[in-house]
Amino acid sequence: MIFGQIADKTKRVFLLLVITQLCASVMALIVSQVLGNSQFLFAKLIHTFNSSYSTMIIVQSVVIFVILIGPTIFMGGAFPIVNRIYIRSMNDLGKSLGTAYALNTVGAILGSIAAGYLMIPLIGKENGLRIVIMFQFVTAVLALLTTSTSGLKLTKRAVAGIGLVVSCIFLIFYFPSWHGDLLSRGWYRDFRTIEHELDRTGWMEALWKGCGLLSKQREGIDVVFYGEGIGGFTTVEKEITSIGTVEYAMFNSGKADASSHGDRSTQTLSAHIPMLFHSNAKNVMVLGLASGMTSGEVLLYPVEKLDIVEINEQVVKACRLYFTEWNNDCLSDPRTRLIIQDGRNHLALTREKYDVIISEPSNPWMAGLASLYTAEFFQMVRNRLNEKGIFAQWIQSYEMDWDTFCLLGRTFAKAFPNAALIKIGPADYMLLGFMDEKGFDWPVAQKNLRYAGKSGYVTFPGLKFLVHLILTEDLQALFGPGSVHADNRPILEFSAPLKLYSGSLNIDKAVAGKRRLSSDTLRMLETNSDYDTMLDLNEFFVSANVPAFDMVKWQNLNLEQKGRYKNAVLRYCSLVQVPSYNRFDNTDLKRNCAKLQIDRIRQRSSANGLRTVDHYNLGLALIAAGKEDEAVNEFRTTISLDPWHEKGHTALGLLLAKCGKLDEAALCFIRILEMSPKMAQAYKYLGMIDLRRGDLKSAVSSLSKAVALQPDDPEILTELGFVHFYRHNYKKAVESFSQVLAQKPMDADAHHNIALAYKHLGDPQKAGEHFLAAAQIDSEKNTLVENQNERTRNYRQ
């Protein structure tokens, strides 16, 4: 519209075309540079507006529109200007316009082919953009030189043209220049580690300094692989933990899809569960290579052929280079056939029939992946299974609500009526579909256990512990009636992104009361709910680097069982950087674990020195080991190396408060609030310190701000209630304690606190009711402790 009108009014139409193409190339260069380094800006945008999905989408659309409108207008201006040049008269209007349209269409097709199949796979996005921009700019300059410009001699035009070309080459040599190490991780998705950085950073600073702010989060992490292809970009991060463990993680378009350590239980159980329960699996297919760990575990069984279907060649390269140690070199096994293909296309076109199919695509909210969760896809899988085939479908619970999870479950159950839901990781689940009616064949699994025992990455101390991972064998009863996700009604395509920033779904809680198990599984569960079986389960998860120590209580174990439990703890602490020592309910175990971690960190220190994160982790370990004075020094070193280290300030403040140095502790939290004025935890701790210093007015102010930022935190509400109580404002105290009680109706302390407030408020009847409720809850707890075995059995069932 714009350039069509301008072209009709100007006499120098060809010059106008040249100018638009020069502007288009320059603006494309600027936009490429800005977008390639705008992760922090978009993370801030999403963080600011994610409470309303529609608002977030509108704001994102407007921002992207503003960024892209410049090069879009100038590129789009070429077509009407060319038409104006090419169409000489009304007599040849149709022919000329048709020819122009044809050439434009052919160019668009060739451009897509060149970009998608040649430039990006061969030279990458950055270099591809450089070449295209330089070609466009130089072509425009050469065209400019050929135009007749009155009053400007040929020599001057040549000098000007050469100057422009040299300037272009100089710019393109440096731009676009993206930080591949920052692009490796999707900060748009998981910005918890930079949440407070986002709060305190302005919009312009986020745009121009975002890369520098993100780079501070990369200490100890190196991007060792960066590959671009038609399936997006694939990266591998190498991280050396504070105890010296080398860990690798694979990301696709910023989304973590596999790792050498963190996802081990999910990657291994995805293979072992379907393989264990199949009587004679000879032909197996795995959809999604990732780290290759699942495929490597499949090859431990006597399979004759394994088809690995992967759409992204960059994933294959990364797997070969960095994950061979953890996948049994699955790609070199003669039984393996690697198929670079879309999973649906392969299932639609192949004539193969499989005994087991394992599907591990990325999360359904990732672009294009919802098609691997449709009813048609699951039916396609069923058609490619043999008579006694088994299908294992990975599914996550994080970034999902119950309705979306039910949608997936119902869709799966439509194709596989005989199916089960199994927990295979902290927030990862498996939908297991059986072609026959038998379902779980425990004698077959016992026979196949010897193959699972060959694994070098997880421990199978037995088989019986697996029964505790089965949540239900009746998907229809669990998920109920409702819609399904289909090709012509792709509900998941739109519902999955809606909950991307809403946190994790507690499946175990949602399933409670709806669990349906077969008679065989129930018998297995009833006869294998003893402590030895639970220790088997604990040992498996420890071997997979998952801390599951809360499944059994130390004080309830006999001497031999305590030895097993202790060995599992020490194994875990020698291999994994422990994020929290509160998971151990025995003081001696906690201290033994902490000492192991301290020794490992100091061994690493003697060889390489300590980073900021190492000093912080060493401080946490020293606290658990009871060496609080040394821990204070480590936290002081942490914040001296990084004055913006919020966790270091928090740990130091809490430790100083515990040691009675309340004034110095308060300064730590004041410093945090200077850095992150929206940090509810800092206001909470500052309010707690003010309460203990007797400064009730300041305590009310700090805790009220904490409640405003985090209204559902029962600890903040409890502290605020006590402040009101000590200020003799018993009515306000009742309000705060009531909010706690609404969240924790079976909490004896909450009943006791509100009873005290009612007593001083002059309401002995309500005070008596809550005192009685607190006493009854305490009594019930004592009874449950005395009948621990009965409680455990009821809980498991």
Side-chain angles (χ1 to χ4, degrees):
M1 290 172 62
I2 294 170
F3 285 98
Q5 293 185 29
I6 295 174
D8 286 337
K9 295 177 181 178
T10 184
K11 293 180 180 179
R12 303 176 117 185
V13 185
F14 190 77
L15 181 60
L16 178 63
L17 175 64
V18 170
I19 292 172
T20 60
Q21 297 314 292
L22 287 173
C23 292
S25 60
V26 171
M27 295 201 74
L29 184 67
I30 294 170
V31 166
S32 300
Q33 178 66 20
V34 170
L35 280 178
N37 292 318
S38 62
Q39 277 236 58
F40 191 89
L41 173 69
F42 280 96
K44 179 174 176 63
L45 189 152
I46 293 168
H47 172 62
T48 304
F49 296 102
N50 70 49
S51 58
S52 170
Y53 185 80
S54 56
T55 302
M56 181 182 71
I57 291 298
I58 291 169
V59 172
Q60 281 189 81
S61 301
V62 169
V63 171
I64 293 172
F65 178 86
V66 170
I67 291 173
L68 294 180
I69 189 64
T72 301
I73 285 179
F74 287 112
M75 288 178 185
F79 190 68
I81 296 173
V82 168
N83 284 334
R84 178 68 177 80
I85 295 170
Y86 192 58
I87 299 172
R88 299 294 183 181
S89 67
M90 292 300 293
N91 293 331
D92 63 351
L93 174 64
K95 180 181 177 181
S96 300
L97 197 59
T99 303
Y101 264 98
L103 291 171
N104 187 64
T105 303
V106 171
I109 294 170
L110 293 177
S112 299
I113 292 172
Y117 291 95
L118 297 174
M119 286 190 172
I120 293 175
L122 296 177
I123 60 176
K125 292 186 178 73
E126 284 180 89
N127 290 327
L129 281 166
R130 286 191 176 104
I131 289 174
V132 171
I133 290 169
M134 184 172 68
F135 179 79
Q136 184 178 22
F137 190 91
V138 171
T139 303
V141 170
L142 291 175
L144 182 63
L145 292 176
T146 62
T147 59
S148 60
T149 307
S150 60
L152 196 62
K153 292 183 179 180
L154 180 62
T155 305
K156 291 183 178 180
R157 280 189 281 155
V159 170
I162 292 170
L164 286 171
V165 171
V166 170
S167 300
C168 172
I169 294 172
F170 178 79
L171 285 173
I172 288 172
F173 184 77
Y174 290 102
F175 303 103
S177 178
W178 301 335
H179 295 265
D181 57 333
L182 302 183
L183 288 171
S184 70
R185 184 169 295 191
W187 301 99
Y188 64 88
R189 168 179 167 262
D190 186 4
F191 39 66
R192 286 171 296 180
T193 56
I194 59 170
E195 185 173 4
H196 301 117
E197 191 86 62
L198 295 171
D199 286 332
R200 60 175 171 257
T201 305
W203 290 101
M204 291 307 296
E205 188 181 5
L207 177 61
W208 299 117
K209 298 182 179 180
C211 290
L213 296 171
L214 285 179
S215 63
K216 295 194 301 184
Q217 310 295 326
R218 308 291 298 175
E219 186 182 32
I221 300 175
D222 296 315
V223 175
V224 294
F225 178 86
Y226 186 97
E228 293 176 313
I230 58 173
F233 60 90
T234 299
T235 55
V236 176
E237 287 185 352
K238 175 185 176 182
E239 180 176 7
I240 302 176
T241 67
S242 294
I243 64 170
T245 305
V246 179
E247 299 181 355
Y248 292 91
M250 180 186 291
F251 295 78
N252 284 305
S253 297
K255 162 70 177 62
D257 279 335
S259 68
S260 60
H261 291 71
D263 301 304
R264 191 172 290 184
S265 68
T266 300
Q267 294 172 116
T268 55
L269 285 178
S270 293
H272 286 295
I273 289 179
M275 296 301 294
L276 278 168
F277 289 98
H278 196 287
S279 59
N280 189 27
K282 296 298 182 184
N283 199 9
V284 179
M285 170 187 156
V286 174
L287 195 164
L289 172 64
S291 69
M293 190 177 289
T294 299
S295 299
E297 297 296 289
V298 167
L299 290 170
L300 297 175
Y301 294 78
V303 300
E304 295 176 356
K305 185 178 180 182
L306 170 63
D307 283 351
I308 302 175
V309 182
E310 173 58 54
I311 193 171
N312 192 344
E313 287 188 79
Q314 301 302 321
V315 169
V316 178
K317 293 178 183 177
C319 179
R320 288 187 192 277
L321 287 171
Y322 296 101
F323 292 94
T324 301
E325 180 182 344
W326 293 278
N327 62 28
N328 296 317
D329 200 8
C330 62
L331 294 176
S332 300
D333 193 293
R335 295 172 291 173
T336 297
R337 180 175 65 157
L338 177 64
I339 302 169
I340 305 297
Q341 176 63 281
D342 173 79
R344 283 191 64 146
N345 287 348
H346 172 70
L347 289 170
L349 299 172
T350 186
R351 296 181 180 178
E352 293 280 354
K353 283 276 192 174
Y354 297 100
D355 298 306
V356 171
I357 296 178
I358 302 167
S359 179
E360 295 180 289
S362 191
N363 302 51
W365 55 262
M366 292 287 284
L369 290 181
S371 64
L372 296 178
Y373 295 89
T374 64
E376 289 83 357
F377 172 74
F378 292 143
Q379 186 60 47
M380 203 179 290
V381 171
R382 185 178 182 89
N383 294 340
R384 300 262 56 86
L385 283 170
N386 286 319
E387 186 179 350
K388 294 184 178 181
I390 297 177
F391 175 44
Q393 171 69 58
W394 170 82
I395 180 175
Q396 96 283 2
S397 64
Y398 51 90
E399 302 162 342
M400 191 176 291
D401 65 348
W402 178 243
D403 290 339
T404 305
F405 197 86
C406 287
L407 172 69
L408 279 168
R410 279 195 301 271
T411 306
F412 188 90
K414 183 177 181 181
F416 292 93
N418 185 23
L421 176 66
I422 306 168
K423 185 165 187 172
I424 56 175
D428 296 287
Y429 296 82
M430 175 192 289
L431 292 166
L432 195 68
F434 300 94
M435 289 291 285
D436 61 13
E437 297 297 321
K438 187 172 181 59
F440 291 101
D441 193 329
W442 293 99
V444 165
Q446 189 63 49
K447 177 184 173 183
N448 288 333
L449 183 61
R450 64 184 186 274
Y451 304 118
K454 295 178 182 179
S455 175
Y457 309 107
V458 287
T459 300
F460 277 85
L463 176 72
K464 298 178 290 186
F465 73 86
L466 289 175
V467 73
H468 292 277
L469 302 179
I470 303 173
L471 298 181
T472 188
E473 291 176 270
D474 189 343
L475 298 188
Q476 286 97 337
L478 176 61
F479 298 124
S483 56
V484 297
H485 174 54
D487 286 346
N488 62 353
R489 190 171 170 77
I491 305 169
L492 184 66
E493 189 86 36
F494 303 95
S495 65
L498 278 170
K499 302 300 176 181
L500 183 55
Y501 303 102
S502 301
S504 298
L505 168 67
N506 189 334
I507 294 292
D508 297 346
K509 185 177 180 179
V511 171
K514 300 179 181 178
R515 194 176 191 186
R516 301 288 186 273
L517 300 177
S518 67
S519 56
D520 288 346
T521 305
L522 272 174
R523 278 194 296 271
M524 283 284 294
L525 186 66
E526 289 169 358
T527 56
N528 295 288
S529 291
D530 55 290
Y531 288 123
D532 285 321
T533 304
M534 301 314 297
L535 285 171
D536 287 348
L537 182 57
N538 179 55
E539 286 177 7
F540 170 81
F541 276 119
V542 165
S543 69
N545 302 323
V546 177
F549 301 108
D550 57 345
M551 291 186 293
V552 290
K553 296 295 182 183
W554 172 263
Q555 64 268 21
N556 298 323
L557 303 177
N558 60 38
L559 191 61
E560 181 182 352
Q561 291 166 342
K562 284 181 177 178
R564 287 185 64 189
Y565 188 87
K566 182 179 179 179
N567 289 336
V569 168
L570 295 180
R571 178 181 177 182
Y572 175 78
C573 296
S574 65
L575 297 174
V576 180
Q577 178 65 57
V578 177
S580 172
Y581 296 88
N582 292 330
R583 63 183 75 250
F584 307 115
D585 64 349
N586 178 269
T587 303
D588 290 335
L589 284 178
K590 181 189 294 187
R591 294 196 170 184
N592 287 335
C593 176
K595 287 176 182 176
L596 262 176
Q597 297 267 301
I598 292 168
D599 291 342
R600 292 295 175 90
I601 295 173
R602 285 179 171 163
Q603 285 173 15
R604 187 175 180 280
S605 168
S606 61
N608 304 299
L610 291 185
R611 306 160 299 186
T612 304
V613 66
D614 300 331
H615 285 287
Y616 174 73
N617 286 326
L618 180 56
L620 295 180
L622 288 166
I623 292 175
K627 300 178 180 181
E628 295 176 349
D629 292 338
E630 293 182 49
V632 168
N633 294 331
E634 293 301 327
F635 292 135
R636 290 192 193 279
T637 303
T638 299
I639 60 179
S640 69
L641 293 171
D642 180 7
W644 296 86
H645 200 289
E646 292 170 1
K647 290 183 178 180
H649 283 286
T650 301
L652 179 60
L654 291 174
L655 192 53
L656 291 171
K658 183 181 177 182
C659 297
K661 300 177 181 179
L662 297 181
D663 293 339
E664 195 177 352
L667 293 175
C668 292
F669 296 111
I670 291 171
R671 171 62 180 143
I672 292 172
L673 291 171
E674 289 173 356
M675 297 186 293
S676 305
K678 294 183 180 180
M679 189 173 180
Q681 292 295 95
Y683 280 114
K684 177 178 80 170
Y685 294 136
L686 185 58
M688 293 168 71
I689 290 171
D690 288 335
L691 172 59
R692 283 145 185 82
R693 289 193 296 184
D695 188 352
L696 300 182
K697 185 177 179 181
S698 296
V700 167
S701 175
S702 296
L703 290 168
S704 296
K705 291 175 182 176
V707 168
L709 292 167
Q710 206 163 309
D712 297 328
D713 189 321
E715 190 176 8
I716 298 174
L717 292 167
T718 300
E719 290 289 328
L720 183 58
F722 277 121
V723 174
H724 290 311
F725 184 88
Y726 293 132
R727 297 187 79 191
H728 308 297
N729 191 342
Y730 302 117
K731 187 175 181 181
K732 286 273 190 182
V734 166
E735 290 178 9
S736 294
F737 291 139
S738 296
Q739 288 177 269
V740 177
L741 203 59
Q743 297 180 47
K744 303 166 69 177
M746 297 304 294
D747 188 289
D749 291 335
H751 280 285
H752 182 78
N753 294 338
I754 199 171
L756 287 174
Y758 273 123
K759 179 181 177 182
H760 285 80
L761 195 60
D763 192 338
Q765 182 178 350
K766 286 188 177 179
E769 290 174 1
H770 286 287
F771 276 130
L772 180 61
Q776 288 175 337
I777 292 170
D778 282 334
S779 175
E780 290 172 7
K781 283 184 178 179
N782 290 333
T783 303
L784 287 172
V785 169
E786 292 170 4
N787 295 281
Q788 184 66 36
N789 293 336
E790 182 68 24
R791 185 193 69 80
T792 301
R793 184 160 57 253
N794 290 340
Y795 172 76
R796 293 300 166 195
Q797 294 180 0

